Amino acid sequence: MPHRWCNSAQIRREQIESGADLTFNEVFKPLLVSRITSLSPSNVLEVGAGTGHISKELFELGFSVTAIEPSAGMYRVAKDVLSLTDVRLLNCTSFDLEKNELYEVAFSHLVAHVVDDLTAFFESVGQHLKASSHFIFSIPHPCFYNEYKGFFGDEYNYMASMIKNVSFTITKDPLNTISGVPYHHRPLSEYINKLVESGFAIDGFDETYPEDDIQLKYGAKWESPRYCVFTCRKL
């Protein structure tokens, strides 16, 4: 899984820094930063940092940030993006992190739906959180995303867990196709039950649906929330 993003790392950087990725810049980044800021953590772990742009934003707001990214290509891009910050960047997964590393907030952006073993992933994050600390993560909304993208066609069954390698573009950059990305569809109940089994309580749930002025920039209104964000507390 980690190396599947290597070839698209530079494309993702250009999409984010040019402003072409509206969803990242105008929907996710402000939402995730807002949720993290409201918790006033003394330190933050980003799991699957990608290009590093959210960690950079958090550093600029004064947070102590560690970012881990297993993809060599993404790591190289993040290293450059974060070069003028004190963000601690590691080329590893949450499974590889030293056991004595503890944080008050961990977050991941569009990672949980690509991991094969969701329980193991939640547990690997949980073991790096202090008691009562928070894990915030975003995923494509299980109820609506297949309707938006049509990845599974006629075989789609909301209640069935399914996996497929998918290709996609973003609205403002339709010529750059990112391919071979694993996508696990899981019903919401699977996410919720596995969080509970992994020792988390759910403190909040956001369904991303931009304001009208932001939706106008896409050229068409969203018919439904395309993504969602869980805010969980370690018990």
Side-chain angles (χ1 to χ4, degrees), residues 184-210:
H184 286 266
H185 165 75
R186 302 175 173 106
L188 273 178
S189 55
E190 186 168 337
Y191 281 97
I192 293 168
N193 289 331
K194 290 191 173 180
L195 282 166
V196 172
E197 291 167 9
S198 303
F200 287 100
I202 298 172
D203 277 1
F205 182 71
D206 292 288
E207 296 179 292
T208 63
Y209 192 75

Side-chain angles (χ1 to χ4, degrees), residues 9 12-18 24-25 29 33 46 49-60 77-78 81-82 107:
R12 290 296 299 130
R13 178 179 187 172
E14 291 167 5
Q15 290 174 337
I16 290 168
E17 294 186 351
S18 69
F24 180 89
N25 288 305
K29 190 166 71 172
V33 168
E46 181 172 12
T51 57
H53 286 89
I54 300 178
S55 282
K56 182 182 179 185
E57 176 93 359
L58 290 169
F59 167 79
E60 290 170 349
V77 167
V81 168
L82 297 170
F107 75 99

Side-chain angles (χ1 to χ4, degrees), residues 2-232:
H3 302 296
R4 293 174 187 170
W5 284 102
C6 287
N7 295 334
S8 58
Q10 192 57 39
I11 293 173
R12 290 296 299 130
R13 178 179 187 172
E14 291 167 5
Q15 290 174 337
I16 290 168
E17 294 186 351
S18 69
D21 192 337
L22 295 171
T23 307
F24 180 89
N25 288 305
E26 306 213 28
V27 180
F28 276 123
K29 190 166 71 172
L31 176 59
L32 291 170
V33 168
S34 169
R35 292 291 174 267
I36 293 165
T37 300
S38 71
L39 296 169
S40 302
S42 64
N43 58 2
V44 178
L45 172 67
E46 181 172 12
V47 179
T51 57
H53 286 89
I54 300 178
S55 282
K56 182 182 179 185
E57 176 93 359
L58 290 169
F59 167 79
E60 290 170 349
L61 290 170
F63 291 101
S64 171
V65 183
T66 295
I68 58 175
E69 172 50 56
S71 158
M74 282 292 187
Y75 172 80
R76 284 192 294 273
V77 167
K79 190 174 182 180
D80 190 50
V81 168
L82 297 170
S83 61
L84 299 179
T85 75
D86 289 334
V87 173
R88 179 168 166 250
L89 176 66
L90 303 173
N91 185 202
C92 70
T93 72
S94 54
F95 297 92
D96 306 321
L97 205 56
E98 294 291 336
K99 290 184 179 178
N100 61 356
E101 300 240 4
L102 293 175
Y103 297 87
E104 292 190 356
V105 163
F107 75 99
S108 68
H109 172 50
L110 298 182
V111 172
H113 70 289
V114 306
V115 301
D116 293 328
D117 189 334
L118 191 60
T119 300
F121 174 66
F122 287 156
E123 290 177 349
S124 74
V125 175
Q127 72 178 359
H128 294 294
L129 286 172
K130 299 175 184 176
S132 301
S133 294
H134 288 82
F135 175 39
I136 300 169
F137 68 94
S138 61
I139 55 171
H141 200 310
C143 298
F144 304 112
Y145 203 69
N146 188 67
E147 182 180 337
Y148 168 52
K149 288 292 189 182
F151 286 149
F152 293 101
D154 293 339
E155 65 184 299
Y156 177 70
N157 176 348
Y158 170 77
M159 288 306 298
S161 297
M162 301 176 159
I163 181 173
K164 197 168 195 176
N165 284 335
V166 301
S167 300
F168 64 90
T169 61
I170 65 170
T171 302
K172 294 297 183 182
D173 186 12
L175 299 181
N176 276 313
T177 300
I178 295 175
S179 302
V181 178
Y183 175 78
H184 286 266
H185 165 75
R186 302 175 173 106
L188 273 178
S189 55
E190 186 168 337
Y191 281 97
I192 293 168
N193 289 331
K194 290 191 173 180
L195 282 166
V196 172
E197 291 167 9
S198 303
F200 287 100
I202 298 172
D203 277 1
F205 182 71
D206 292 288
E207 296 179 292
T208 63
Y209 192 75
E211 298 294 331
D212 287 349
D213 60 328
I214 295 175
Q215 291 199 28
L216 283 173
K217 297 179 183 180
Y218 288 84
K221 284 200 71 173
W222 290 25
E223 295 183 359
S224 54
R226 295 176 183 172
Y227 306 91
C228 56
V229 176
F230 286 84
T231 299
C232 312

